[in-house]
Amino acid sequence: MPATQDFSESRTLIDDLLAEQQTMTAAAKFSRLHERHQLPAQARYYRDLIPLERPRDGEQYAFAVDLDGCTGCKACVTACHNLNGLDDDETWREVGVLFGGTVLEPVQQTVTTACHHCVDPACMNGCPVLAYEKDPVTGIVRHLDDQCIGCQYCILKCPYDVPKYSKKRGIVRKCDMCSSRLAVNEAPACVQACPNEAIRIEVVNKAEMVREAALGKFLPDSPDPAYTKPTTLYRTKRKFPANMQGGDYFHVKPEHSHPALVVMLVLTQLSVGAFGMAVLLRTVFSAPLVARFTPFHSLVALALGLLALGASTMHLGRPLYAWRAFVGLRTSWLSREIMAFGGFAALASLYAGSFWLSLFAKTAGLAIPGMWALPIAQRASGILVVFSGIIGIACSAMIYHDTQRKFWSDARTFLKFFGTAALLGPATILFTMTAQTLWFTTARHDPAFREICSLLAAAVLAVSAMKLAWELSIFVHLRDPEFSLMKRTALLMRGELKAITLARFIFAFMGGMALPLAVLLGMTEPAFALAVMPLCLLGELLERSLFFTAVIPPKMPGGVAA
Amino acid sequence: MKDHPLIKKIGSLIRAHDGALTQDLVQHPGEFGLGKVPARLMPDDTTTTICGFCSTGCGLNVHLKNGEAINLTPTTDYPVNLGMACPKGWEALTPLRSADRATTPYLRNTSGTLEPVDWDTALQVFTVRFKAIQDQHGKESIAFLSTGQICTEEMALLGALAKFGMGMLHGDGNTRQCMATAVTAYKQSFGFDAPPYTYADFEESDVLVFVGSNLCIAHPIMWERVCRNKNNPEIIVVDPRKTETAMAATQHYAITPKSDLTLLYGLANILIASGWIDLDYIEKHTSGFEEFVRFVTRFTSDTVSAATGISVENLWRFADTIHRGKRVSFWWTMGVNQGHEATRTAQAIINLALMTGNLGRPGTGANSVTGQCNAMGSRLFSNTTNMLGGHDFLNEAHRKKVAAVLGIDVGCVPSQNSWAYDQIIDGIESDKIKGLWIIATNTSHSWINQRSFNELTKKLDFLVVQDMYYTTETAQRAHLVLPAAGWGEKEGTFINSERRHGLVKKVSRAPGQALSDFNIFKLVAQYWGCGDMFARWSSPEEAFQIMKELSRGQPCDITGIDDYLMLDRAGGVQWPWSGESTSANAGAVNEERALPGQERRLFEDGAYFHADARARFLFSEPCEAPEPVDDEYPFTLLTGRGTSSQWHTQTRTAKSAVLRKLYPENAYVEINPLDAERLGIASGTLVAVVSRRARVEASAFIAMTVQKGQVFMPMHYAVTNELTFPSFDPFSRQPNYKACAVRVEKA
C-alpha cells in the first residue's frame, strides 16, 4: 500500500475532501453577479400573454390554450408545482394526449389542462361548507383552504378531476390561476413557463361561454361542458377527426373505495330501514308481543345509526369543523344530508329513549305524570323518525346522482340506497327478534312471532331478488359495441374487482335468498334467522364498496396509460 | 354591529378566509428579478447554473437560502433557454434528496451483499484489487466506462488518471451510445468534431429539416427556439413515426425504418440533376464532389421511392423545399446516430448542406443535436477516443504537447487508440478485460442486448461502480460502489450542443460521505500512488486552466476564457474563444477585455479543419439493416424517448414524484391498429414482445402514429434493451438501437 504512510497523520486527504464537499461556494463566489433587482425579469416574455385590463361586468379571466403550440413538454406542470410550492407529489396541471385520425393520416394532439374556472362550478355548488368562492371580478374559482373540512365531495363533483386531496393536511387544494400573481400583473406559473407561449390568460364573456357549453364546444373526448360551463379556450387551426380519444381512453382503474362512506351509507340505510320496519310492525300487529320487542329493535337501530354517523366523520380530513356543514344548505346535497341525518339521529334517540323510559318506569313502578300521552307521542315521533330517515337517504342518493357520473345517475343510486334500507330493515328486525328470543324464550312458540318472522324473511327474499337482479343487469353492458361508461364499470367488476364482486353476490345470495328461504320453509333453528342480517350486511357493504370503486369518473384526456 | 370583533371572530370561524393552511400557499415577491415565489421558499440570494440532464444546456436560476438551493427557475437572460426549462430542469433538485442516495462506499462481502465501508477501506480495496488484476493480466486488463453526465474537468482528470496514471489503455464513455456517430461524421467531413451551429439558427432558417429527431419531446427548449422563428418556416420531419414533432411539422415523411441513407442520396440526386446546388461553394470549399455525383446517379426517384415508401412526388416536393429555402438548416439526433450505417447517414446530411451552400450562414448548417448535458465535454476532454483537448493518440506531436502541458513523462501517454465500448465488453468475454470501473452510467440498463452484458459482469474479477445511487441496475452488480456527489453538489463546466461551455455550481450539500467525482479521482490518484502526477489538478477551476492549455491552437481553443467568473458573466462561451480576433471568433464584442458574442457559428469563412481547408463529400453504398424482419419476427422494433419527463435509464428522473406522474409507470409498446386487430390485441392489455434475445412483457398501446409492421418502445424501461440487437456502425461503433426484429403475441 504505497499511499498508506501519507495518511498516517491525524488529518487525511479524505477528511479534507469530505469537509470541502460540504462547503457551499456558489453564493460567495458568484452571486454578486446577480443583482437584487426588483422587477420580474421574466415579464418580457409574458407581458403579451396576460390581459391589460380587468374583466368588466359579465366577463371573467380564462386560460386560453393554443393547441398548435402545445407539444407535450409538460414544463407547465412542473413550473406550477415549483412556483406554487406544492407538496412533493402534488400537481395542479396535467398534460394529456388525444389520438385519432386514420392509419394513413394519424393525428395526435397533446393537451395541457388545469382548473377551467367554470362559469357554474360544480365544486363550489357541491361544497357543504362554502369553501369555494368565485371571484366577482376575475371569475377565478378559489378554494378557501382554512374553510375546507376535507369531505372531498368537490372531487366527486368536478368532472375535470381538478381538486386534489392532501392527506397530510386533510383538505383539498386546487389551481387559483395564480390569482395573487395576476393581481400584480405577473403571469401565472404555467403561462410564464410554456416555452411555446401556448398558454395565456384572456378575458372572456361568461354568457358566451354558457352558449358555447350548451353547444358542446370544448375539446374532444372530454366531459360535457354543459354541466359546469368551463371557460378554458382550446384553440387550433387544425380540424380534429371525429375519433379523437385520450391516451388513457382504454385504461380503466378502480377508484378510491372510501370505506368510511361505505359504512356510513349502509348503516344509515339499515337504521332507517329498521326503524321503518319496527314502526310498520307496531302499526300492523297490535299484539302485545310486538311491544315486547320494540325497545330492543329501536335500540339496535339507533346504535347502528349513530355508529354510521360516527363513521362518516372518519371520512373527513378535518372532522372538528364538520359543524360548518349547515352553511352550504342552499346548494349542497351534502349539507342537506348532514342536516337530515342530524335530525334523524335526534328524533330516533328520543323515540328509542321513550320505550326504555316507559320500560324503566314500569319496572321500577314509578308513576310519571302524563304517561298516558306517551303512546300517541311515540306513534307520531315514529313516523317523524322514518320520514326524516327517508329524507336523509334521498339526500344521500342526490349527493351521488348530482355528480353526473353514469354509474350513479338516474334511478341507480336511489334504487341501491332505498333497496339497502328495504333489505336490511327487515333483516335487522328479524335478527333482533330472534336474538331476543334467546332469553325471551316463551315468544319463540307464539304463532304471531312465527308469522312475523315469515313475513320478514319473505320481505328479505323479495327485496334481495330484485336488488340482485338489478345489480347483475350491469353485465348486460359487456355486450355494448362501444366502450361505454357502463361497459367500463362492468369490465372493472369482471376484472380487477372480480373478487369483491363475487363475494358481494355470494354473501347476498346466502344471506338474502338461501337463508330466508330456509326460514320460510320452517327451519326454526335460530341460527338460520340470526345469520340473515350479518350476511346481508356484509353483502351490502361490499356492494357499496363496488359503488365507489367501479364508478368511471369523467375526466380530461390523459396521457398514455400503462 | 357587523364590525364588532366578536361577530367578526364568529364570522371567520364559520367561514374562514385565512389561517395556517391558507398561509401555506401565500406568495411573496422573490426579488432578484424573480417575481412572486412561495413565501416558504423565499431566497436570500440567487445564482445561475447549467442544467445537468440533456445537451441543450439550459441556464437555471437557483434560489438560495443560507447558501443552499431551495428552489429554482429557468434563467431569463441565459442565451440558450430564454427563461424556459423542460420538466427535468424544473425538477433538477429533487433527485438529489432521494432516499437511495449512496452516502457511503459499499463493498460486497463474502455473503454477496453490499455492505457499507469507510472511504479508506474502499480506496485500499480499489487499489489492491485493480493492481492485483494488472499484475496478473497486464496493465490493459482494467478499463473504465465514463459518461457524458459529469463535469468536463472531472472527465479530464479521470481520463488522465486512468490512462496516464493507472496505465489503462481502454476507456470509453456512454457518449458512444449517443454521439459517436456525429463525432466521426464531423471529423471525417470537416476535419474536426465541430457542430457548426448556434441555437439562433433555429430562429433564422426558412427551412428546417429534422432527420430522426423528436425535438419537441427530446429537446423541448430547442423546440422553443424553433417556435420563435419569425420566417414562417417549412419544417420537414423524417421519422417512421408520427411523433409530436412530426405533428408540428409542415411536411412529415414517414420513411421505412433505416431507409434514411437511401432517401438522403435520392434527394442529393434530385438536387444535383436539377441544378439546385451551389457550385461556387462546392468548388471553393469542398472536395470529392465529382465522385459523389457519379455515386448518387443510381439513386433514381423510383428506386428511392420503393426503398423509403415515399412517393416520387413527395421526394421532389422535399427536394424542391430545400431548393427554395434561402437558409436551410439540417438537424439530426439519435434516429440517425443510433443506426447501422449512421456515420454515412450523418454525412449524407452534411453533403446536402455542403452542396446547397447551407453552411456558415445564419439559419443554415448540418447540425447534430447532442444527447447528454456534457457529451461534448466527453468528446473533447475525456481522453478516451480523442486524447485530451481533441488530440490524437496516434500523433506523436500531440502526445508530446499533452505530456508537456500536464508536466508528465510522454512515456506515460499511450500511443494506441482505446477500444470502443462494445470492444471493451467483448474484451470481458475474451478474458482480456478483468477489471472495470464504471462512472455515472447505467450499463446494465442502457447497453444494447443488455442481458449479454449482465451475464458478462460475472466474468469480471472486480467491478467498481461510481454513482449517486446504490440502487442502479449496474451498482447492484458491483463489487465496490463509490458514492458520488451529483449535479448541483459540485463545480465544473459542461459543453452543450452548440459548443457552449457553461458553468455548473455547488448549490447543495452532498449526502453523507458522498464526494464529487473530481474528489474521488483525486483520492484514487493518491491511493494509487500517483498523486504527485496530478498535484496541479487541485480544484475543478485549476483543471479548467489545464484544459485551456490543452486546447491551445486546436479548433476547440478556449484560451480566451479567463476563468469561471468570466463564464458566469458571459452567459457561457461557445468554443472557439481564444480572445483574439480571428474569423472563428467572429461576433466578438469589441471591448477592451471582450466578452464573446452570445451566438457564434463556425465556418463563416468556409474554411474547414482539414489541412486543405476543404470539407469532404463522403458516402458508401447503403446496406441492409442487420436484423431484417422475417416470418418469425415480422415487426421492426423502434426505440426512443418516451416523454420529456424521462431521462435515459431513469436513475434520476424516477426519483421525482412529479416527474413520475408525467410518464406511464410501466413499459408499453405502441402498435398499429391494423396489426393489433390481426393479432387480437386490445389496447391496455399485456402483450409479449419477443426478439431472438429475449421475451418481455409490456402493455399494448394501440396508436396509428406507428406504422403497420412496426412497433415502438421507449428506452426508459429496462425491458426494452433486453430485446435490441447488438450491431454497430462500422466507423463510429455506435450501437444500432433503432431497429431490430421482434414479434408480438398475447402474454
Side-chain angles (χ1 to χ4, degrees):
Chain A
M1 196 66 232
T4 320
Q5 66 214 46
D6 299 337
F7 297 92
S8 54
E9 290 168 35
S10 61
R11 191 157 179 88
T12 67
L13 182 61
I14 294 175
D15 297 329
D16 288 344
L17 293 180
L18 283 171
E20 187 225 289
Q21 190 67 53
Q22 297 299 315
T23 317
M24 294 291 102
T25 51
K29 275 169 82 173
F30 303 106
S31 68
R32 62 196 155 87
L33 295 177
H34 306 281
E35 296 296 324
R36 194 179 253 268
H37 47 94
Q38 293 281 342
L39 280 174
Q42 195 77 359
R44 83 176 73 137
Y45 297 122
Y46 62 66
R47 205 170 287 135
D48 299 335
L49 303 177
I50 52 175
L52 294 169
E53 288 168 8
R54 302 273 166 235
R56 289 167 301 186
D57 267 0
E59 293 181 334
Q60 73 162 85
Y61 284 150
F63 285 118
V65 176
D66 170 18
L67 290 172
D68 301 334
C70 177
T71 48
C73 79
K74 306 174 184 176
C76 48
V77 180
T78 43
C80 168
H81 172 83
N82 279 19
L83 286 178
N84 285 310
L86 305 188
D87 289 342
D88 284 350
D89 58 351
E90 189 179 19
T91 49
W92 288 350
R93 189 166 265 287
E94 274 164 44
V95 176
V97 59
L98 290 162
F99 287 91
T102 64
V103 170
L104 289 176
E105 213 34 75
V107 175
Q108 69 163 308
Q109 174 65 58
T110 54
V111 181
T112 176
T113 170
C115 175
H116 297 306
H117 299 280
C118 302
V119 176
D120 185 17
C123 54
M124 185 171 90
N125 297 337
C127 181
V129 296
L130 305 185
Y132 284 89
E133 59 186 18
K134 189 167 173 66
D135 189 282
V137 178
T138 63
I140 291 172
V141 179
R142 277 198 62 209
H143 181 255
L144 308 179
D145 291 352
D146 279 287
Q147 176 66 6
C148 179
I149 59 172
C151 74
Q152 303 156 64
Y153 184 40
C154 50
I155 295 178
L156 303 184
K157 281 281 284 177
C158 173
Y160 305 105
D161 192 24
V162 165
K164 293 283 187 295
Y165 185 63
S166 161
K167 204 168 175 188
K168 76 174 185 201
R169 294 186 174 75
I171 58 166
V172 302
R173 308 208 291 189
K174 71 174 270 294
C175 160
D176 71 342
M177 209 186 260
C178 291
S179 51
S180 77
R181 291 198 168 90
L182 279 171
V184 293
N185 291 321
E186 271 182 42
C190 53
V191 176
Q192 289 193 29
C194 177
N196 308 339
E197 303 186 345
I199 312 174
R200 53 170 69 222
I201 304 299
E202 289 183 14
V203 172
V204 297
N205 183 293
K206 286 195 238 185
E208 206 171 299
M209 299 316 295
V210 172
R211 277 196 297 279
E212 300 250 307
L215 294 172
K217 278 192 199 166
F218 189 47
L219 187 80
D221 194 23
S222 301
D224 182 359
Y227 174 28
T228 65
K229 292 93 184 172
T231 62
T232 302
L233 303 164
Y234 285 107
R235 295 201 180 102
T236 174
K237 292 198 188 84
R238 297 191 193 114
K239 192 157 162 40
F240 287 133
N243 64 345
M244 295 294 268
Q245 289 170 345
D248 55 351
Y249 184 80
F250 287 102
H251 187 72
V252 286
K253 61 176 198 324
E255 290 294 296
H256 197 288
S257 65
H258 295 299
L261 291 182
V262 168
V263 171
M264 176 263 170
L265 286 171
V266 171
L267 290 187
T268 48
Q269 287 148 25
L270 175 150
S271 179
V272 174
F275 275 114
M277 192 45 68
V279 169
L280 197 65
L281 282 181
R282 283 176 67 81
T283 316
V284 177
F285 295 89
S286 53
L289 181 80
V290 175
R292 294 287 301 271
F293 285 116
T294 307
F296 192 54
H297 288 336
S298 51
L299 182 69
V300 170
L302 176 69
L304 290 175
L306 293 178
L307 181 67
L309 298 182
S312 71
T313 60
M314 304 276 287
H315 169 74
L316 300 179
R318 299 169 80 213
L320 288 180
Y321 296 90
W323 57 268
R324 282 177 180 159
F326 71 92
V327 301
L329 209 53
R330 218 165 53 83
T331 55
S332 169
W333 283 106
L334 183 51
S335 278
R336 293 167 193 162
E337 184 209 38
I338 294 171
M339 293 297 106
F341 277 125
F344 167 77
L347 287 166
S349 303
L350 282 174
Y351 179 66
S354 71
F355 290 106
W356 289 91
L357 181 72
S358 58
L359 196 64
F360 174 72
K362 208 188 272 175
T363 322
L366 289 176
I368 298 172
M371 262 319 247
W372 58 269
L374 193 62
I376 303 165
Q378 278 173 336
R379 176 160 295 197
S381 64
I383 290 166
L384 283 176
V385 168
V386 176
F387 187 65
S388 64
I390 288 172
I391 289 176
I393 295 178
C395 289
S396 292
M398 278 309 293
I399 287 174
Y400 299 97
H401 169 76
D402 202 34
T403 61
Q404 311 227 343
R405 296 180 174 192
K406 186 81 180 159
F407 187 46
W408 292 350
S409 56
D410 305 325
R412 282 183 196 90
T413 303
F414 280 89
L415 283 172
K416 278 197 174 139
F417 287 10
F418 281 105
T420 301
L423 172 72
L424 294 181
T428 305
I429 300 299
L430 181 64
F431 178 85
T432 54
M433 280 180 68
T434 313
Q436 216 174 336
T437 58
L438 294 179
W439 63 86
F440 176 34
T441 46
T442 51
R444 222 185 282 175
H445 306 292
D446 190 320
F449 170 74
R450 304 221 54 82
E451 191 189 345
I452 291 171
C453 282
S454 294
L455 271 172
L456 290 170
V460 169
L461 184 64
V463 175
S464 270
M466 285 190 287
K467 193 161 185 285
L468 288 185
W470 163 246
E471 285 173 34
L472 279 167
S473 72
I474 184 81
F475 293 108
V476 172
H477 292 284
L478 285 174
R479 289 162 162 245
D480 288 0
E482 306 211 324
F483 201 63
S484 66
L485 293 168
M486 296 301 270
K487 183 178 188 171
R488 294 179 215 194
T489 292
L491 281 171
L492 264 181
M493 289 172 70
R494 197 186 63 178
E496 261 179 274
L497 301 171
K498 193 177 179 177
I500 295 173
T501 309
L502 263 177
R504 187 276 173 279
F505 286 107
I506 290 170
F507 282 122
F509 177 77
M510 293 301 296
M513 300 184 75
L515 289 174
L517 196 62
V519 173
L520 273 177
L521 292 177
M523 308 225 182
T524 52
E525 188 58 40
F528 286 104
L530 281 175
V532 168
M533 193 275 262
L535 288 175
C536 284
L537 178 59
L538 261 175
E540 291 309 284
L541 289 169
L542 292 170
E543 177 261 289
R544 207 48 48 88
S545 153
L546 288 168
F547 176 81
F548 285 109
T549 51
V551 72
I552 306 297
K555 69 186 286 289
M556 293 295 281
V560 171
Chain B
M1 188 64 188
K2 242 168 64 185
D3 294 332
H4 191 280
L6 188 67
I7 300 290
K8 270 182 144 172
K9 180 111 203 250
I10 291 169
S12 72
L13 198 59
I14 293 172
R15 191 115 190 270
H17 277 79
D18 202 358
L21 292 165
T22 308
Q23 287 299 316
D24 205 33
L25 289 174
V26 161
Q27 297 150 6
H28 282 320
E31 304 199 16
F32 308 99
L34 288 180
K36 287 198 167 198
V37 297
R40 288 186 292 112
L41 299 171
M42 280 278 289
D44 57 20
D45 213 338
T46 63
T47 193
T48 54
T49 190
I50 305 301
C51 181
F53 283 102
C54 89
S55 69
T56 308
C58 295
L60 299 175
N61 199 4
V62 179
H63 307 188
L64 300 165
K65 198 166 199 166
N66 304 322
E68 273 200 89
I70 49 167
N71 205 351
L72 63 75
T73 44
T75 311
T76 305
D77 303 315
Y78 201 66
V80 167
N81 50 314
L82 314 173
M84 303 297 157
C86 83
K88 300 183 292 292
W90 278 99
E91 276 295 285
L93 293 169
T94 310
L96 300 178
R97 302 189 288 259
S98 171
D100 64 345
R101 286 292 300 272
T103 54
T104 168
Y106 289 90
L107 183 63
R108 198 167 293 281
N109 61 21
T110 46
S111 61
T113 51
L114 287 171
E115 186 178 83
V117 292
D118 63 20
W119 270 110
D120 181 58
T121 310
L123 290 162
Q124 299 223 24
V125 171
F126 181 100
T127 314
V128 168
R129 295 289 300 270
F130 272 152
K131 284 194 170 181
I133 293 171
Q134 281 189 326
D135 288 344
Q136 196 185 341
H137 301 281
K139 292 265 189 204
E140 300 162 21
S141 63
I142 61 171
F144 68 99
L145 291 174
S146 174
T147 178
Q149 297 288 151
I150 60 176
C151 299
T152 321
E153 294 78 356
E154 299 178 318
M155 292 170 178
L157 177 53
L158 168 64
L161 166 67
K163 288 200 168 178
F164 308 152
M166 298 167 72
M168 292 190 210
L169 177 57
H170 303 302
D172 202 5
N174 61 11
T175 33
R176 181 70 61 184
Q177 294 159 280
C178 71
M179 295 319 297
T181 291
V183 174
T184 312
Y186 280 138
K187 262 179 162 173
Q188 293 180 349
S189 294
F190 293 163
F192 197 78
D193 174 16
Y197 64 101
T198 186
Y199 291 156
D201 290 323
F202 283 118
E203 299 178 20
E204 296 184 29
S205 298
D206 56 5
V207 176
L208 298 108
V209 181
F210 292 95
V211 186
S213 168
N214 189 4
L215 204 73
C216 288
I217 291 302
H219 302 90
I221 300 308
M222 293 196 206
W223 185 257
E224 170 200 352
R225 304 295 294 263
V226 176
C227 289
R228 292 167 56 92
N229 188 312
K230 301 276 187 252
N231 306 320
N232 191 24
E234 280 291 328
I235 300 173
I236 301 177
V237 169
V238 178
D239 197 311
R241 287 192 305 142
K242 187 115 185 184
T243 59
E244 290 82 350
T245 315
M247 277 307 301
T250 56
Q251 300 175 34
H252 171 220
Y253 298 106
I255 59 167
T256 306
K258 293 295 129 210
S259 67
D260 41 6
L261 186 55
T262 305
L263 171 74
L264 295 162
Y265 288 153
L267 290 171
N269 191 26
I270 295 174
L271 290 167
I272 294 166
S274 310
W276 294 341
I277 52 175
D278 186 340
L279 279 172
D280 185 50
Y281 192 89
I282 294 168
E283 198 172 309
K284 279 189 183 141
H285 302 301
T286 72
S287 63
F289 185 62
E290 291 78 15
E291 294 87 332
F292 183 61
V293 171
R294 278 196 296 279
F295 171 76
V296 293
T297 47
R298 79 193 75 156
F299 292 88
T300 62
S301 298
D302 287 331
T303 55
V304 172
S305 173
T308 59
I310 305 301
S311 69
V312 172
E313 190 195 344
N314 274 336
L315 287 174
W316 278 81
R317 181 174 169 226
F318 193 159
D320 183 57
T321 310
I322 296 173
H323 162 57
R324 284 169 190 276
K326 297 197 167 45
R327 294 170 163 197
V328 185
S329 56
F330 299 85
W331 309 84
W332 80 85
T333 315
M334 295 311 146
V336 169
N337 282 354
Q338 296 174 335
H340 68 287
E341 47 193 357
T343 303
R344 286 295 183 250
T345 310
Q347 285 164 339
I349 296 170
I350 294 172
N351 294 347
L352 289 180
L354 287 171
M355 75 171 77
T356 53
N358 276 305
L359 266 156
R361 290 183 293 118
T364 66
N367 306 329
S368 141
V369 176
T370 310
Q372 303 180 76
C373 56
N374 202 16
M376 177 57 84
S378 166
R379 287 147 76 169
L380 294 178
F381 288 101
S382 68
N383 211 28
T384 52
T385 309
N386 294 324
M387 191 164 38
L388 295 169
H391 290 95
D392 183 358
F393 282 104
L394 306 182
N395 181 323
E396 195 185 352
H398 283 184
R399 291 198 298 274
K400 283 183 174 156
K401 175 187 164 188
V402 168
V405 170
L406 300 188
I408 60 171
D409 178 9
V410 73
C412 300
V413 182
S415 55
Q416 297 174 52
N417 276 329
S418 163
W419 281 343
Y421 206 132
D422 66 302
Q423 294 162 323
I424 291 173
I425 291 171
D426 286 348
I428 305 172
E429 183 154 34
S430 58
D431 290 316
K432 300 253 171 45
I433 299 291
K434 300 304 290 179
L436 189 60
W437 183 12
I438 298 179
I439 299 100
T441 190
N442 192 8
T443 314
S444 290
H445 180 314
S446 69
W447 190 246
I448 196 160
N449 185 20
Q450 170 209 103
R451 280 187 187 181
S452 111
F453 170 77
N454 288 336
E455 269 309 302
L456 285 174
T457 54
K458 294 174 192 157
K459 288 191 73 176
L460 287 168
D461 287 346
F462 198 50
L463 172 61
V464 180
V465 173
Q466 182 168 320
D467 205 287
M468 290 167 69
Y469 307 99
Y470 65 86
T471 50
T472 73
E473 285 86 349
T474 317
Q476 285 301 304
R477 290 180 163 78
H479 298 104
L480 178 68
V481 177
L482 301 178
W487 168 93
E489 295 166 347
K490 58 188 181 180
E491 225 173 57
T493 58
F494 290 158
I495 314 176
N496 77 351
S497 268
E498 46 161 8
R499 311 179 317 282
R500 187 182 304 273
H501 289 255
L503 186 59
V504 180
K505 296 178 193 165
K506 187 152 87 167
V507 293
S508 191
R509 282 195 172 81
Q513 307 261 304
L515 287 172
S516 70
D517 295 287
F518 194 86
N519 283 343
I520 296 175
F521 301 142
K522 275 165 64 179
L523 282 171
V524 167
Q526 195 71 259
Y527 273 73
W528 196 270
C530 57
D532 293 344
M533 199 170 168
F534 301 97
R536 268 191 64 201
W537 304 66
S538 57
S539 68
E541 189 152 13
E542 278 308 312
F544 183 76
Q545 296 299 335
I546 297 171
M547 280 164 42
K548 279 168 59 179
E549 282 314 305
L550 289 165
S551 77
R552 187 179 296 279
Q554 288 286 90
C556 59
D557 193 324
I558 48 165
T559 49
I561 305 173
D562 295 344
D563 51 17
Y564 281 179
L565 272 176
M566 177 173 165
L567 271 182
D568 200 30
R569 217 170 61 219
V573 177
Q574 289 166 297
W575 66 255
W577 184 249
S578 65
E580 291 155 29
S581 176
T582 65
S583 101
N585 278 331
V589 181
N590 199 9
E591 287 173 20
E592 197 185 333
R593 182 67 234 180
L595 285 179
Q598 284 190 324
E599 298 267 14
R600 295 182 299 122
R601 61 185 61 79
L602 299 178
F603 311 131
E604 292 188 322
D605 55 359
Y608 293 89
F609 296 120
H610 282 299
D612 60 2
R614 287 171 176 274
R616 308 267 190 272
F617 279 93
L618 297 166
F619 50 89
S620 302
E621 192 64 42
C623 44
E624 205 191 357
E627 197 187 36
V629 295
D630 55 23
D631 288 345
E632 203 181 343
Y633 299 97
F635 287 96
T636 302
L637 170 65
L638 314 172
T639 69
R641 175 88 55 153
T643 64
S644 61
S645 49
Q646 289 165 292
W647 181 244
H648 293 179
T649 71
Q650 297 244 72
T651 51
R652 281 183 292 165
T653 43
K655 304 293 173 355
S656 155
V658 169
L659 295 182
R660 278 202 302 276
K661 284 176 122 178
L662 300 181
Y663 60 79
E665 186 183 352
N666 298 308
Y668 64 96
V669 54
E670 289 180 11
I671 184 166
N672 185 279
L674 297 176
D675 290 323
E677 194 179 354
R678 191 168 47 79
L679 296 169
I681 290 168
S683 214
T685 54
L686 211 59
V687 295
V689 185
V690 190
S691 77
R692 291 183 177 87
R693 275 85 40 211
R695 178 184 202 275
V696 305
E697 290 192 343
S699 184
F701 185 78
I702 298 175
M704 292 185 236
T705 47
V706 57
Q707 294 183 56
K708 192 163 162 283
Q710 300 167 23
V711 291
F712 171 80
M713 288 176 78
M715 62 174 163
H716 316 290
Y717 305 95
V719 293
T720 304
N721 275 322
E722 293 186 44
L723 298 166
T724 45
F725 177 72
S727 64
F728 304 88
D729 175 75
F731 301 101
S732 70
R733 302 224 61 79
Q734 181 157 347
N736 165 32
Y737 283 103
K738 296 294 186 189
C740 72
V742 296
R743 70 166 176 269
V744 179
E745 57 197 31
K746 288 185 177 174

